[in-house]
């Protein structure tokens, strides 16, 4: 079982991260590390070197999917999927607390992190990401997947698991149980607004001019506030490392590199009855962790209905409520690592045959 990252180690890795007072976010550089960009980039690189993380690329028709492989390469990894507009760095603090004899592959979904964007003239849709997992299985010739997902990544994991139950041996979801139920009355108007916005973002992507850039400390603040403070300022660099780039125009400024079309992507929007039918198909070991201080994004009754159906059909289903916020796996991983480790100890089996 992995050893939990202590607050002292985190402080060291982030170079004595300061509170937001308009001062430099990092003031203690690591000796011998070249800083071509902001110090936070180098500190995240140092974190990856400490845990011997390997960058991998999986080919897809429009480019490649980027990923971070933790642990031995001769063992099929648990595939970790991030939330909306996040990236593989969202698991940087949780994975070191998980068993060292296991492998984990955290992916950047299309348009996120270091992965390729979808082709021009298109918009993002939740179902498209299931292709990423199928291409992943094809690339490594895996017969099954083990899935760990947060938020949008958890919903994707659920959809894939329920659609292909014979291809998944276990599934761990964090803070997004299933596709959310949309208000039928509001949905047409929402689509009317979203489609033109996605078109504008698509046209903007083809402009040669650089996106707006900001001091790195402002990027941290924007991420912190944009997530309703669920991403702490101290842990924001783990996400910003793969989501930002240094400006070529303005010294000491940085810009977001994720595809702006993601802001206007479409969810599934199907009926609760469909979710409940899918719920009956998730019959393998299944752990779901819900943050107590995170919204449900829909009427709570839909959550409870779904849980009841899963419990009726799956004796291996486990539900845990944790006193934390939406990005609990990043900001407070010590609260969920013991839960995940107990589940993995029961259900993970080494698969060197893939």
């Amino acid at each position: 079982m992995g050893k939990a990252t202590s607050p002292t180690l985190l402080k060291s890795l982030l170079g004595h991260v300061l509170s937001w007072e308009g001062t430099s976010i990092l003031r203690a550089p690591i000796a011998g590390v070249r800083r071509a960009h902001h110090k936070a980039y180098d500190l995240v690189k140092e974190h990856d070197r400490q845990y011997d993380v390997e960058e991998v690329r999986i080919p897809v028709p429009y480019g490649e999917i980027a990923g971070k492989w933790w642990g031995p390469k001769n063992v099929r990894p648990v595939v970790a999927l991030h939330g909306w507009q996040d990236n593989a760095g969202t698991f940087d603090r949780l994975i070191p607390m998980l068993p060292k004899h296991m492998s984990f592959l955290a992916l950047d979904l299309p348009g996120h992190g270091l992965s390729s964007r979808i082709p021009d003239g298109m918009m993002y849709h939740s179902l498209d990401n299931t292709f990423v997992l199928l291409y992943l299985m094809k690339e490594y010739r895996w017969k099954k997947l083990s899935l760990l997902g947060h938020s949008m990544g958890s919903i994707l994991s659920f959809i894939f698991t329920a659609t292909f139950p014979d291809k998944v041996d276990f599934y761990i979801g964090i803070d997004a149980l299933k596709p959310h139920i949309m208000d039928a009355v509001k949905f047409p108007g929402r689509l009317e607004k979203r489609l033109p916005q996605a078109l504008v973002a698509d046209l903007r992507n083809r402009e040669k001019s650089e996106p707006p850039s900001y001091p790195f400390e402002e990027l941290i603040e924007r991420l912190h506030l944009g997530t309703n403070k669920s991403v702490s300022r101290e842990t924001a660099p783990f996400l910003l490392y793969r989501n930002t780039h240094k400006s070529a125009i303005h010294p000491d400024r940085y810009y977001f590199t994720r595809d702006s079309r993601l802001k206007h992507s479409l969810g599934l929007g199907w009926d609760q009855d469909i979710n409940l039918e899918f719920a009956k198909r998730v019959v393998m070991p299944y752990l779901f962790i819900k943050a107590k201080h995170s919204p449900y994004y829909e009427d709570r009754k839909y959550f409870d209905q779904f849980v009841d159906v899963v419990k009726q059909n799956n004796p291996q289903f486990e539900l845990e409520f944790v006193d934390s916020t939406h990005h609990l796996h990043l900001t407070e991983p010590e609260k969920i690592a013991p839960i995940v480790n107990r589940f993995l100890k029961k259900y993970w089996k080494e698969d060197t045959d893939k």
Side-chain angles (χ1 to χ4, degrees):
M1 183 176 293
K3 189 175 182 180
T5 305
S6 68
T8 301
L9 176 58
L10 176 62
K11 185 176 181 181
S12 173
L13 289 172
L14 294 182
H16 306 298
V17 176
L18 304 180
S19 61
W20 177 260
E21 295 293 345
T23 57
S24 176
I25 190 68
L26 300 161
R27 65 181 178 189
I30 294 177
V33 176
R34 295 179 62 190
R35 298 193 305 277
H37 301 288
H38 194 277
K39 286 179 262 187
Y41 290 168
D42 295 319
L43 292 166
V44 174
K45 287 182 181 178
E46 180 66 17
H47 178 268
D48 285 354
R49 282 192 290 268
Q50 177 183 352
Y51 292 104
D52 194 25
V53 179
E54 179 183 334
E55 284 282 340
V56 299
R57 298 292 184 269
I58 298 97
V60 291
Y62 47 87
E64 58 186 15
I65 297 299
K68 301 180 67 173
W69 191 308
W70 307 67
K73 305 302 183 294
N74 65 329
V75 176
R76 178 169 60 82
V78 175
V79 177
L81 303 169
H82 61 78
W84 180 56
Q85 298 195 83
D86 292 344
N87 56 69
T90 195
F91 297 102
D92 278 7
R93 296 196 63 218
L94 174 62
I95 291 177
M97 298 182 184
L98 303 181
K100 296 295 187 289
H101 62 280
M102 292 181 59
S103 290
F104 297 86
L105 175 56
L107 299 180
D108 294 332
L109 291 170
H112 298 79
L114 304 179
S115 287
S116 300
R117 298 176 174 185
I118 62 173
D120 291 341
M122 303 183 69
M123 65 186 301
Y124 290 89
H125 191 279
S126 297
L127 274 181
D128 294 339
N129 285 325
T130 57
F131 274 40
V132 172
L133 298 180
L134 293 171
Y135 280 118
L136 177 68
M137 296 180 73
K138 180 180 178 182
E139 174 68 14
Y140 290 107
R141 299 181 181 178
W142 292 335
K143 298 175 183 177
K144 286 183 176 287
L145 291 178
S146 306
L147 296 174
L148 164 65
H150 167 250
S151 196
M152 179 184 74
S154 177
I155 294 174
L156 170 59
S157 297
F158 162 69
I159 294 168
F160 190 88
T161 299
T163 303
F164 305 108
D166 60 327
K167 297 184 186 298
V168 178
D169 52 16
F170 67 77
Y171 157 41
I172 301 170
I174 302 174
D175 212 47
L177 186 66
K178 59 177 185 62
H180 302 126
I181 304 305
M182 297 183 184
D183 188 321
V185 175
K186 296 180 180 179
F187 185 75
R190 181 183 180 190
L191 191 61
E192 180 185 22
K193 180 179 180 181
R194 182 147 299 189
L195 289 175
Q197 290 174 332
L199 177 61
V200 170
D202 177 57
L203 295 173
R204 189 182 302 123
N205 279 347
R206 284 175 254 175
E207 295 178 359
K208 295 183 180 180
S209 58
E210 188 178 275
S213 57
Y214 313 89
F216 197 83
E217 291 76 12
E218 186 172 341
L219 292 184
I220 289 177
E221 191 71 356
R222 283 173 173 265
L223 180 58
H224 175 62
L225 297 178
T227 58
N228 293 318
K229 303 182 181 179
S230 73
V231 174
S232 67
R233 298 183 180 98
E234 290 79 7
T235 58
F238 289 109
L239 289 176
L240 293 174
Y241 175 74
R242 301 175 78 84
N243 258 1
T244 58
H245 197 280
K246 185 176 177 63
S247 171
I249 303 172
H250 305 288
D252 302 320
R253 293 172 75 92
Y254 303 79
Y255 58 87
F256 287 106
T257 56
R258 61 199 175 201
D259 193 336
S260 58
R261 286 176 290 177
L262 291 168
K263 297 178 183 178
H264 315 295
S265 57
L266 289 178
L268 294 172
W270 56 39
D271 190 78
Q272 175 73 346
D273 287 342
I274 296 177
N275 281 331
L276 299 182
E277 286 302 315
F278 271 117
K280 297 174 185 177
R281 296 167 59 90
V282 184
V283 293
M284 67 292 294
Y286 175 18
L287 168 65
F288 184 76
I289 300 171
K290 180 74 182 82
K292 292 182 179 179
H293 306 295
S294 177
Y296 286 85
Y297 304 103
E298 60 181 355
D299 193 310
R300 171 69 187 267
K301 69 179 182 181
Y302 297 122
F303 180 97
D304 294 334
Q305 286 174 354
F306 182 94
V307 167
D308 287 343
V309 171
V310 176
K311 285 181 176 179
Q312 291 168 15
N313 291 272
N314 188 349
Q316 300 178 103
F317 175 62
E318 300 179 20
L319 175 62
E320 298 279 353
F321 290 88
V322 177
D323 187 20
S324 190
T325 56
H326 184 56
H327 284 83
L328 67 169
H329 63 298
L330 175 63
T331 57
E332 297 183 293
E334 66 280 359
K335 290 187 175 181
I336 70 167
I339 300 171
V340 175
N341 280 321
R342 285 196 300 270
F343 181 84
L344 293 174
K345 185 177 180 180
K346 279 196 290 185
Y347 296 114
W348 180 81
K349 295 179 181 178
E350 183 172 341
D351 184 0
T352 54
D353 186 42
K354 314 298 185 184

